[in-house]
Amino acid sequence: MIIVSSMDTAGHQAFAAAQVASTGSPEALAALLSVVGKGPGEPPFLTVICTYDSLGMIWDKHYAAWRARLTAAADYHQAHGHLAAPATTPIGAWLAEQRHLATRGQFLPSRAADLAAIDPHWQLPHGADWHRKYHLLRAHLAAGRDAAALTRDTLLGPVKIGSWLHRQLTG
């Protein structure tokens, strides 16, 4: 689509709604340009300002909803380091639905790529619980904690992370 602005007869840029036209069709744009300067009150010339795409505007409400949820997923990932949000939360329920669609082959590759750009493991190949515990332990160690100090009874919040780690190393 193209945004077109006209000049009034005094040469001033006119952005009034009646003087701005948009079109995605080359034929419609040609028809719009064919009336330039042909009669009284018609613009002496038109200027292409930009395309809708270059403005980054979204004109499809379903795509806008997708982008909003994708942004929420990116925010969740930024805060937690993974996309294993509990399914009892709005973002977790949405992510679970995206995984379900992907598993059934009903997911657009571009949307899978969007989620993979946030987290390559968005489909949780080891399960949500494993990913949550892995990232909890990872954050614990990244904070400078000593891995050798972990025992089977070590708790991080309500999670027995030491027991979980032992199962990972011995199972």
Side-chain angles (χ1 to χ4, degrees):
M1 290 192 189
I2 300 170
I3 297 175
V4 181
S5 170
S6 66
M7 292 280 193
D8 63 17
T9 53
H12 299 103
Q13 198 82 21
F15 287 104
Q19 296 171 318
V20 175
S22 66
T23 180
S25 159
E27 295 81 16
L29 184 58
L32 179 66
L33 293 174
S34 70
V35 299
V36 173
K38 291 203 172 178
E42 293 183 4
F45 62 90
L46 298 173
T47 305
V48 173
I49 298 185
C50 60
T51 65
Y52 284 154
D53 292 339
S54 69
L55 293 174
M57 299 183 82
I58 300 172
W59 299 99
D60 177 339
K61 67 180 180 180
H62 300 290
Y63 184 68
W66 162 259
R67 297 303 300 179
R69 289 184 180 114
L70 191 65
T71 299
D75 292 345
Y76 183 90
H77 187 272
Q78 180 71 27
H80 301 280
H82 58 80
L83 289 180
T88 55
T89 65
I91 192 62
W94 180 78
L95 285 164
E97 177 65 17
Q98 305 320 298
R99 289 184 198 102
H100 176 73
L101 292 171
T103 301
R104 297 187 61 162
Q106 300 172 336
F107 201 56
L108 292 173
S110 62
R111 290 189 173 190
D114 286 343
L115 284 166
I118 296 170
D119 185 345
H121 304 291
W122 71 274
Q123 290 184 285
L124 308 179
H126 305 292
D129 187 59
W130 186 93
H131 282 271
R132 284 187 207 109
K133 288 176 180 174
Y134 170 81
H135 286 282
L136 181 65
L137 178 59
R138 192 174 130 237
H140 179 73
L141 296 175
R145 306 297 189 332
D146 183 11
L150 293 172
T151 68
R152 283 188 179 184
D153 296 327
T154 302
L155 293 173
L156 292 181
V159 177
K160 283 186 95 177
I161 202 68
S163 177
W164 177 83
L165 179 59
H166 178 76
R167 286 191 308 276
Q168 304 312 304
L169 297 174
T170 59

